[in-house]
Amino acid sequence: MLRLWKWYQNSLAVHPVKTQIISSGLIWGVGDIAAQTITQATAKKQNGVQDEEKEVRINWKRVATTSLFGFGFVGPVGHLWYEGLDKYIRVRRGLQPNSFWFVANKVAIDGFLFGPLDLLVFFTYMGFSTGKSFPHIKEDVKRDFLPAFILEGGIWPFVQIANFRFIPVRYQLLYVNFFCLLDSCFLSWLEQQQDAPWKQWIKSLICSKDK
C-alpha cells in the first residue's frame, strides 16, 4: 500500500489532471459495484426472497456508465473546482488558510454551488445513459433531487470541514471520492425508493413552507 501511495503521489505531481481523472473513474466504478450489491440485497430482503435465491448480479454496463461519470465529470471538474476554490478563497477573499472563516467559506460555497450541480448532473447523466426520455428524467430529478440534497446536506458539511481543514488541496478530490463510495450506495438506494412516503413527506414539507 505504501508503494502504491508513493506511486499515486508521483503521478499526481507529474500528471495531476490525468491522475485525478483515472482515480475518480476507478473509485466511482468500485462504488457502483458496492451500491448494486447493497441495493439488490436490500430489495430481495424486502421482497422476502429466500437465502439461496440471493445471488447478486452485477450490471457491468451500469458500472462502466458510472465509471465514465467519474472519468468525464468528477475527475476533471472536481480537480478544477478544488484548485479554483482554494485560489479564490485565499487570493480574492484574502482569508488565512485553515482559519475558521477560510474553512467556513469553502464549505458554504461547495455545499450550495458544487453540491447541487453534482447531483443535477449525476441524475441527468444516469437518466440519459439508461435511455430515459427528457420528460422522464425531469420527473426523476423532481422526485429525487430535494430528498438527496437535504439528506446529504446533513452529512457532507462535516466531511468537507475535515477536508478543507486538514487535507492538502491536491488530495481533496481523492478524499471526497472515497466518501463517494458511500454516497454512490446512498444515491442508488434513493433511486430504488421511487415515490416512497418519506420522499413525499419531505416534498410536502418544503412546499408548505413556500406557501
Side-chain angles (χ1 to χ4, degrees):
M1 286 297 293
L2 183 59
R3 293 181 64 181
L4 180 62
W5 175 244
K6 288 183 177 179
W7 174 83
Y8 176 81
Q9 288 180 305
N10 292 332
S11 298
L12 193 62
V14 178
H15 303 291
V17 179
K18 186 186 298 184
T19 302
Q20 297 279 32
I21 290 173
I22 294 173
S23 60
S24 296
L26 293 175
I27 292 171
W28 274 78
V30 172
D32 189 68
I33 293 173
Q36 289 189 50
T37 302
I38 292 172
T39 53
Q40 285 185 44
T42 302
K44 290 177 180 179
K45 185 176 181 180
Q46 290 176 344
N47 294 330
V49 179
Q50 298 300 317
D51 288 342
E52 59 270 14
E53 300 178 50
K54 289 185 178 180
E55 180 184 352
V56 175
R57 296 184 178 179
I58 300 298
N59 182 342
W60 293 105
K61 181 180 179 180
R62 185 180 127 166
V63 173
T65 300
T66 307
S67 292
L68 283 175
F69 179 73
F71 284 125
F73 178 78
V74 178
V77 176
H79 172 80
L80 294 175
W81 170 255
Y82 288 113
E83 294 283 346
L85 179 62
D86 186 74
K87 185 176 181 180
Y88 170 75
I89 297 298
R90 284 189 297 103
V91 179
R92 299 292 296 275
R93 301 296 298 272
L95 296 176
Q96 182 67 29
N98 296 333
S99 67
F100 172 81
W101 288 113
F102 179 85
V103 175
N105 273 257
K106 277 192 170 186
V107 171
I109 294 174
D110 183 79
F112 288 103
L113 287 182
F114 190 71
L117 174 65
D118 183 54
L119 283 175
L120 183 62
V121 173
F122 177 79
F123 286 132
T124 304
Y125 167 76
M126 293 303 290
F128 279 122
S129 68
T130 54
K132 294 181 180 179
S133 64
F134 181 76
H136 193 172
I137 294 172
K138 185 177 179 181
E139 289 301 313
D140 286 349
V141 170
K142 288 172 62 177
R143 182 193 68 199
D144 293 335
F145 179 83
L146 280 178
F149 182 66
I150 292 172
L151 292 176
E152 291 196 342
I155 299 172
W156 275 103
F158 298 101
V159 172
Q160 294 292 47
I161 286 173
N163 190 21
F164 296 136
R165 177 63 180 84
F166 301 109
I167 308 297
V169 175
R170 63 184 179 276
Y171 299 129
Q172 286 178 358
L173 180 59
L174 178 66
Y175 169 89
V176 166
N177 274 333
F178 277 113
F179 278 94
C180 284
L181 285 169
L182 300 176
D183 195 41
S184 178
C185 297
F186 166 71
L187 292 175
S188 294
W189 173 82
L190 184 76
E191 186 180 13
Q192 185 190 63
Q193 294 296 297
Q194 298 294 325
D195 290 312
W198 65 269
K199 284 187 180 180
Q200 299 298 324
W201 178 78
I202 290 176
K203 291 170 66 176
S204 64
L205 188 65
I206 295 172
C207 291
S208 65
K209 287 184 179 181
D210 292 338
K211 292 181 181 180

